[in-house]
Amino acid sequence: MVKIRLWQNHSEQNGTLANERRNLPVFSPGGKLEKNHGAGEEQRQKNVREIMKELDSLVGLAGVKKLVGEIHAFVEIQRRRQREKLATEPQVLHMVFKGNPGTGKTTVARIIGRLFKEVGVLPKGHLVEVERADLVGEYIGHTAQKTREQIKKALGGILFIDEAYSLARGGEKDFGREAIDALVKGMEDHKDNLILILAGYRQEMEWFMESNPGLRSRFPIHITFPDYSTPELLAIADLMLKKRQYHLSPGARDELRLILEETRSLHVHSGNARLVRNLIERAIRQQAVRLVRRGQVSREDLMTITREDILRAHESNPGI
């Protein structure tokens, strides 16, 4: 089980401070031990604020933001209690992310990794994203080896396992169970240096937790990622276009809204950012085809996505 454990530079381990705090050593950005609340602490706080601002800037996900904020607050208060030599409370931080593809699970996992680095929970905070094929081998013993290799890559950060429920779908003789056993062992062997996030569809992940009772206690934090509403998907489209220095004409916005509402009514799990990204990327290509045929184009022409571009993008792949 991974517990909150604040890190420090190994070069300081023989010092008096390390001996006093060896159970919860302090790790600051850049691997330097904090001895006061000077410039290093100010920079850390600034980095944390920037990361939380990035989280808040994501469209929707109010419940997700609230829970991540609670986790951050808990870790920060434990840090302050440690400085005052008060008892600190361990917290298991392995998580389950439940939601459809394209609802922000990987994006939030990356932000959590960076946040945990800044607050001292993880020394690196990087994200290693894997799926069943990266963990499960073809013969006895191969799976454990592959799983250990992925765990090694993730040490100091987060191992993010997408469609984690697939590890338990093959029955008793499936090598997926061997991967689960290797993951559990890795969690124990590296309990202070690794966080696991299991991700997948909500119903499948709930089934997975029920089929593996031992896993539920090891993953106490469950975060549900809801599908985006139509206004949220339009806001995501605006952000995607803004980053690329494009924008929608009024007619294009109306057409995009109609397409999104129609698609959501036809497909139960279509309220996700991938749907919007695919449509926007095709619309940009359609705009390019339209403009290249013209002799003169203005700066505004180069930036504007029209209703025609959206319609042609949709017609090229009506299923989005």
Side-chain angles (χ1 to χ4, degrees):
M1 300 192 306
V2 174
K3 299 180 180 179
I4 291 178
R5 186 174 188 271
L6 305 182
W7 289 78
Q8 71 172 41
N9 190 320
H10 291 296
S11 65
E12 301 286 347
Q13 286 185 349
N14 294 325
T16 302
L17 184 60
N19 290 330
E20 290 177 354
R21 300 183 179 181
R22 59 183 177 274
N23 292 325
L24 285 169
V26 178
F27 177 85
S28 62
K32 296 180 180 179
L33 186 67
E34 291 180 299
K35 296 182 179 179
N36 53 52
H37 302 288
E41 176 63 13
E42 290 179 5
Q43 184 61 48
R44 186 188 72 81
Q45 292 287 359
K46 180 182 178 182
N47 292 344
V48 169
R49 287 194 298 269
E50 289 177 352
I51 292 170
M52 295 304 292
K53 183 178 180 181
E54 181 181 345
L55 177 66
D56 289 338
S57 71
L58 297 179
V59 174
L61 303 176
V64 175
K65 295 172 184 176
K66 180 176 181 292
L67 185 49
V68 173
E70 291 174 0
I71 295 170
H72 165 240
F74 174 84
V75 173
E76 187 62 37
I77 290 303
Q78 296 307 302
R79 187 184 186 95
R80 296 180 188 180
R81 286 177 61 87
Q82 175 186 294
R83 288 188 182 127
E84 299 299 327
K85 299 184 179 179
L86 295 171
T88 54
E89 183 70 20
Q91 174 73 46
V92 180
L93 294 175
H94 298 303
M95 307 178 192
V96 174
F97 283 8
K98 296 179 282 189
N100 295 318
T103 49
K105 297 188 295 297
T106 307
T107 299
V108 171
R110 288 197 180 96
I111 291 174
I112 288 176
R114 289 164 48 210
L115 177 64
F116 281 179
K117 176 187 176 183
E118 294 299 334
V119 298
V121 172
L122 293 169
K124 295 181 181 178
H126 64 297
L127 185 80
V128 175
E129 185 177 1
V130 299
E131 55 188 19
R132 177 187 166 95
D134 300 306
L135 302 173
V136 177
E138 301 175 356
Y139 50 84
I140 295 175
H142 189 208
T143 293
Q145 177 186 343
K146 291 185 69 174
T147 303
R148 285 194 298 268
E149 288 173 355
Q150 296 299 335
I151 289 173
K152 184 177 180 180
K153 292 179 185 177
L155 288 180
I158 294 175
L159 182 60
F160 183 93
I161 306 175
D162 198 15
E163 298 185 356
Y165 52 83
S166 64
L167 296 175
R169 275 188 164 174
E172 292 292 335
K173 296 183 179 180
D174 183 71
F175 289 141
R177 293 189 175 273
E178 186 180 349
I180 295 173
D181 292 340
L183 288 169
V184 170
K185 186 177 187 303
M187 292 164 65
E188 295 296 330
D189 292 345
H190 307 286
K191 60 183 178 181
D192 298 322
N193 196 24
L194 178 70
I195 287 176
L196 263 66
I197 297 180
L198 307 182
Y201 292 100
R202 182 178 61 82
Q203 291 184 340
E204 282 83 347
M205 290 306 298
E206 290 176 354
W207 166 81
F208 182 45
M209 288 292 115
E210 291 299 325
S211 65
N212 295 272
L215 289 179
R216 184 169 292 277
S217 63
R218 291 182 168 89
F219 292 86
I221 301 175
H222 288 227
I223 303 180
T224 299
F225 289 72
D227 286 347
Y228 293 107
S229 65
T230 298
E232 288 172 340
L233 290 174
L234 286 170
I236 291 171
D238 286 334
L239 288 173
M240 290 178 178
L241 288 166
K242 184 178 180 180
K243 288 180 179 179
R244 296 168 171 83
Q245 294 188 305
Y246 291 90
H247 60 256
L248 295 168
S249 70
R253 176 175 294 279
D254 291 340
E255 191 62 40
L256 179 58
R257 179 184 291 107
L258 291 174
I259 291 172
L260 292 174
E261 289 175 348
E262 177 186 357
T263 306
R264 284 168 56 82
S265 68
L266 294 175
H267 304 285
V268 178
H269 301 309
S270 62
N272 60 59
R274 293 182 189 178
L275 178 152
V276 175
R277 182 183 300 109
N278 291 340
L279 186 54
I280 290 300
E281 289 177 352
R282 287 201 299 273
I284 289 174
R285 293 197 296 271
Q286 292 299 325
Q287 185 233 40
V289 171
R290 175 173 56 83
L291 293 181
V292 80
R293 295 170 180 167
R294 293 168 53 178
Q296 295 285 340
V297 294
S298 67
R299 177 183 174 86
E300 182 64 18
D301 291 333
L302 292 170
M303 297 175 64
T304 304
I305 300 296
T306 66
R307 183 171 188 168
E308 177 187 353
D309 299 327
I310 294 292
L311 279 170
R312 288 186 179 278
H314 181 49
E315 290 169 359
S316 67
N317 188 353
I320 306 295

